[in-house]
Amino acid sequence: MTGSAVRVGRELLLRLADAGADVAVHHRDESTAAEATATAADARDRGAETAVVAGDVTNPEAVDAFVSDCETELGGVDVLVNAVGPLPGGRWDEIGYDAWRETIAGCLYGTYLCSERVLPGMRDREWGRIVNFGVADARDDRRVPENFPYFAAKRAVLSFTRTLAYDTQDDGITVNAVSPFAVENTVVEGVDYPRGRPASFDDVAAPVLFFCSSAADYLSGQNVAVDGGRLQEA
């Protein structure tokens, strides 16, 4: 994850803990283990049962292993939030193949692999919530020469969200997306923020918590742009 995505993921996880959920904190490797352990401790202080699981979301064997660890420690996965999002910097033709591959894999393949792994259990229990993270400006046909592979991958995630919603409509599962523009720990140069500020962590968490609730039982395949009503020039 980027630093921004890590912080958003942490704050969202803590709000899920506040709402009464038991939570699994995922991190990739030993370089992020300490932060994941600290987040789990904070969630535990809020009354949640917690687990810390590790692995590369772009590796099918790793995904199977860390979801199995989560199921062993906490039981079946009822809610999956796919928030991984590597964000390279630079124009599309300056980034390089390795960054393209890492970005597409992290954003899109990670979302696919984690969703595929938890779906059988959700179908068996006839209940589940999957929330994918997009990005606001990936909704429409926009000119995005900077960070293009990220926007391309996130647009594919939104398409996958609709497809998965269709495929699970008879299974008691909903699949939705939340797409922020800029969050409070993000700096976007040269932008006039709608409403005079970027989104807060609470702004981003609110639709995620709603999609996970019983109030959203009939909503699937939807995408909420957390962008303050911003319109980007085409």
Side-chain angles (χ1 to χ4, degrees), residues 57-58 84 86 99-111 113 153:
V57 298
T58 69
V84 173
W100 269 80
R101 181 175 56 185
E102 179 182 353
T103 302
I104 299 296
C107 293
L108 179 58
Y109 299 164
T111 296
L113 287 171

Side-chain angles (χ1 to χ4, degrees), residues 65-152:
F66 70 67
V67 174
S68 295
D69 289 343
C70 180
E71 291 169 336
T72 298
E73 295 191 47
L74 297 177
V77 177
D78 294 316
V79 174
L80 171 67
V81 179
N82 288 305
V84 173
L87 178 61
R91 282 179 48 88
W92 70 270
D93 53 354
E94 299 170 345
I95 292 171
Y97 174 71
D98 288 343
W100 269 80
R101 181 175 56 185
E102 179 182 353
T103 302
I104 299 296
C107 293
L108 179 58
Y109 299 164
T111 296
Y112 148 66
L113 287 171
C114 292
S115 299
E116 181 190 48
R117 175 59 179 77
V118 303
L119 273 173
M122 290 181 174
R123 284 186 164 120
D124 286 345
R125 294 184 295 277
E126 299 183 337
W127 198 93
R129 298 287 187 265
I130 297 175
V131 182
N132 300 323
F133 264 65
V135 64
D137 289 346
R139 292 172 299 164
D140 305 311
D141 188 13
R142 302 298 189 186
R143 177 181 59 81
V144 285
E146 298 288 328
N147 308 321
F148 179 77
Y150 178 77
F151 285 91

Side-chain angles (χ1 to χ4, degrees), residues 207-220:
V208 177
L209 294 172
F210 172 68
F211 281 141
C212 293
S213 74
S214 59
D217 280 347
Y218 202 68
L219 295 178
S220 195

Side-chain angles (χ1 to χ4, degrees), residues 147-209:
N147 308 321
F148 179 77
Y150 178 77
F151 285 91
K154 288 299 188 180
R155 191 163 187 181
V157 166
L158 297 182
S159 179
F160 179 63
T161 299
R162 289 289 295 177
T163 297
L164 197 55
Y166 173 81
D167 286 345
T168 57
Q169 61 182 300
D170 298 322
D171 300 326
I173 300 165
T174 65
V175 187
N176 293 289
V178 173
S179 295
F181 164 55
V183 188
E184 63 185 77
N185 64 326
T186 306
V187 176
V188 180
E189 300 291 343
V191 171
D192 292 327
Y193 289 114
R195 306 174 192 274
R197 64 174 180 83
S200 69
F201 295 123
D202 285 333
D203 292 328
V204 177
V208 177
L209 294 172

